[in-house]
Amino acid sequence: MPPSKLLHKAPAAGLLLAAFCLSACVQNTAARPANSSGTQPEAAAAAAAGAATGTAVPAAAMLKAHNQWRAKVGSPALQWSEKLTRMAQEWADKLAASGCSQHHRGNMQYGENIYFASPLLWPNGRTEAQPVTPQYVADDWGKEEKNYDHASNSCSGICGHYTQLVWKDSKEVGCGMAFCANKAQVWVCNYHPAGNVMGERPY
């Protein structure tokens, strides 16, 4: 029997457009076999040992994944920011250390997207970290595109992760991720300038 998994996204941070849903999005999806974490081997090993740990997000891969979605709507390509990366990693580490809680940093001037993936749970009780990649994370946010209506600048369901992903005025991004003690994982991306500004369109 294949393992089960739960994907879980926190709402996007920033000044939200009027129609954006603020509740977290939960998806139950079909399981897939896993033999790696899809991230750095050292972090996967630490996760396997039952310790909360952070690891560097591959910058080139995450930047490419973001800019693929931005190119679709004509938004300028983002640049990678080490400052935002440090900030995102700090928050991912904090969330992982607190049991993979999912909430945004308060009173922040930057945009923020958070992605959470539970561990794979096998019928025999064994757990593994999911093989999540930067492309998978960005694509998961990008799938909210179907919920956004550009004509009315509103959405049905959650689309705040998508609109931050493609927000035309955002110029920089930096991301971090961390494994939790139970082999779940949390990914954080911060954006400057922040998107999801009330009354404005993402592109």
Side-chain angles (χ1 to χ4, degrees), residues 18 49 76 78 87-88 90 100 117 124 126 132-133 135-136 164 178:
L78 293 171
M87 181 179 300
E90 176 186 90
C100 256
N124 63 3
R126 181 167 58 91
V132 177
T133 65
Q135 188 73 54
Y136 191 89
Q164 174 60 86

Side-chain angles (χ1 to χ4, degrees), residues 20-196:
F20 286 178
C21 176
L22 298 182
S23 62
C25 171
V26 179
Q27 294 178 298
N28 288 294
T29 61
R32 65 180 180 221
N35 53 20
S36 74
S37 70
T39 53
Q40 317 313 22
E42 296 84 355
T53 179
T55 184
V57 169
M62 184 59 89
L63 199 58
K64 178 182 178 182
H66 271 71
N67 287 334
Q68 285 174 345
W69 283 98
R70 294 174 67 84
K72 288 178 61 176
V73 297
S75 293
L78 293 171
Q79 300 297 315
W80 192 258
S81 165
E82 291 301 328
K83 175 182 177 181
L84 294 178
T85 297
R86 290 191 296 272
M87 181 179 300
Q89 187 62 60
E90 176 186 90
W91 193 242
D93 290 341
K94 183 170 183 177
L95 294 178
S98 63
C100 256
S101 59
Q102 299 159 63
H103 59 276
H104 290 287
R105 201 183 326 235
N107 301 317
M108 189 176 64
Q109 61 179 315
Y110 303 106
E112 184 170 86
N113 277 352
I114 297 177
Y115 172 91
F116 168 83
S118 68
L120 292 168
L121 306 175
W122 293 87
N124 63 3
R126 181 167 58 91
T127 61
E128 294 179 12
Q130 289 193 52
V132 177
T133 65
Q135 188 73 54
Y136 191 89
V137 171
D139 287 352
D140 193 70
W141 293 332
K143 289 175 185 175
E144 294 177 6
E145 176 186 26
K146 66 182 182 296
N147 298 330
Y148 176 68
D149 179 66
H150 190 266
S152 62
N153 196 31
S154 63
C155 73
S156 56
I158 292 177
C159 65
H161 302 92
Y162 166 70
T163 51
Q164 174 60 86
L165 186 72
V166 301
W167 197 266
K168 65 182 186 298
D169 292 333
S170 293
K171 301 182 184 305
E172 296 179 312
V173 63
C175 305
M177 71 84 63
F179 287 102
C180 307
N182 67 349
K183 302 174 192 174
Q185 57 193 283
V186 60
W187 295 63
V188 178
C189 286
N190 288 129
Y191 305 84
H192 175 72
N196 292 345

